[in-house]
Amino acid sequence: MSTRVFLQCLVMAMALTAIVVEEAYGIPICNIDTNDLGQCRAAVTGNQPPPPTGECCGVIKRSDLSCLCKYKSYLPAVGIDPSKATTLLSKCGISNAPPACYA
């Protein structure tokens, strides 16, 4: 194995390790840990998603909705339909969502 190939493999391994470590710890955003958002993934993906779980609703209720709704336009990039994400609010009994959630 050449030195160049070895260094490329080493860099790739370091990058993957950094991604895994970051995923394990999550990133705090809008008063919640990004790993906690996984609780809602099933309820916002697919053609006929199931209702949100109690854990999912708990995550949404703990979040800063004014902050979280600002990220709505980025959802398609991670495979989430924004309209399905918006329906979580009513399905979780949240009636005071900011206008940014419905825009």
Side-chain angles (χ1 to χ4, degrees):
M1 176 183 286
S2 74
T3 303
R4 182 180 173 151
V5 172
F6 175 75
L7 289 175
Q8 288 174 339
C9 290
L10 182 62
V11 169
M12 180 65 78
M14 289 171 51
L16 289 173
T17 301
I19 290 168
V20 169
V21 168
E22 186 172 325
E23 283 271 332
Y25 293 107
I27 300 167
I29 185 170
C30 303
N31 293 341
I32 54 175
D33 187 292
T34 54
N35 287 338
D36 291 342
L37 290 174
Q39 298 288 336
C40 297
R41 186 135 181 95
V44 294
T45 56
N47 291 331
Q48 296 180 338
T53 63
E55 291 84 5
C56 169
C57 289
V59 168
I60 299 301
K61 289 176 181 177
R62 284 192 315 270
S63 71
D64 174 350
L65 284 176
S66 295
C67 172
L68 196 59
C69 290
K70 292 176 187 176
Y71 292 97
K72 184 178 169 185
S73 63
Y74 298 103
L75 295 177
V78 292
I80 297 173
D81 181 339
S83 65
K84 291 177 183 171
T86 301
T87 64
L88 283 181
L89 301 173
S90 62
K91 290 178 180 179
C92 289
I94 298 169
S95 59
N96 60 344
C101 287
Y102 301 107

